Amino acid sequence: MVGDTFKWSSDADDLTFPWTIIQAGTTVALAVAWLIWCSRTRAVAEEFAPGRLRYSPAMAVSSWLIPFGNLYLPKQIADDVWHASSPPSRTGETAPSARLHIWWGCWVFTVLTSPLFYWQAIVWADSDNLNYESGGSLEKATYESWYTHELGTAGWLAVVLHLLVVPIVVATALYVSRLTALQQARRGGLTS
């Protein structure tokens, strides 16, 4: 997949290490981007409802970093931001918050299953599942050597756990797009 980018090795650790670094770097970058987005949406919500939000703007970031508090504090802040950002209808009701609740449910599920996700990924990466095959042909091509992975039970569990992350990604994208649209509509209503 990466051609000659990395030195080829038969050691599974040498083959998985670059991808682990890439995944960790991506995770850090996404976490920082998420915290910046949370901070900015909280600041914009303050413009719509000055003094009526429960937590300070700094809590929009720090609430994610508080052990066990990160299971409910960000949701309370998100509720406040959602309701402050929602342009009221003629009847005074705010926009339906189904996306907010679905996103939060997916988030809590992901947080609670993440230790298993990372543990299982480490077990699979460290297991002896990388096989070196030498010589032979596949279809009409002849190869000197190639590597194969045997997933086994640990590998399939790792695949399933990786797929369980997909709902949080989709729910987050829908939540972010809706809240951003609400804030833009609300801001447009304030300026006109």
Side-chain angles (χ1 to χ4, degrees):
M1 192 157 88
V2 293
D4 294 326
T5 305
F6 302 108
K7 176 183 163 198
W8 291 108
S9 169
S10 61
D11 185 20
D13 291 337
D14 289 345
L15 293 172
T16 58
F17 182 73
W19 297 111
T20 303
I21 297 300
I22 291 168
Q23 184 177 8
T26 303
T27 300
V28 169
L30 288 173
V32 168
W34 177 255
L35 294 174
I36 290 169
W37 182 82
C38 288
S39 173
R40 289 185 178 181
T41 57
R42 169 57 177 81
V44 170
E46 184 70 28
E47 295 173 19
F48 304 141
R52 294 189 310 191
L53 302 177
R54 288 182 271 191
Y55 297 100
S56 70
M59 278 298 284
V61 172
S62 60
S63 65
W64 292 97
L65 308 174
I66 299 170
F68 301 108
N70 63 0
L71 294 175
Y72 66 92
L73 289 172
K75 172 65 161 79
Q76 292 176 346
I77 294 167
D79 283 336
D80 290 350
V81 169
W82 184 274
H83 294 297
S85 301
S86 177
S89 66
R90 292 182 184 147
T91 61
E93 293 184 23
T94 60
S97 55
R99 287 187 189 187
L100 168 68
H101 300 304
I102 291 169
W103 160 73
W104 188 254
C106 288
W107 165 254
V108 170
F109 176 78
T110 301
V111 166
L112 295 177
T113 60
S114 65
L116 181 61
F117 172 85
Y118 287 109
W119 172 80
Q120 198 59 39
I122 290 167
V123 167
W124 184 69
D126 285 343
S127 66
D128 188 22
N129 62 0
L130 185 66
N131 297 322
Y132 177 78
E133 305 287 337
S134 87
S137 63
L138 185 61
E139 294 184 15
K140 294 183 181 177
T142 302
Y143 296 95
E144 286 182 31
S145 63
W146 64 88
Y147 294 98
T148 60
H149 285 281
E150 292 178 17
L151 287 177
T153 304
W156 281 110
L157 185 56
V159 168
V160 169
L161 290 170
H162 277 76
L163 290 175
L164 288 176
V165 176
V166 172
I168 186 63
V169 171
V170 172
T172 301
L174 293 172
Y175 166 67
V176 166
S177 67
R178 182 66 176 141
L179 182 57
T180 302
L182 287 174
Q183 287 193 335
Q184 288 173 346
R186 183 78 189 262
R187 202 172 241 172
L190 289 179
T191 58
S192 37

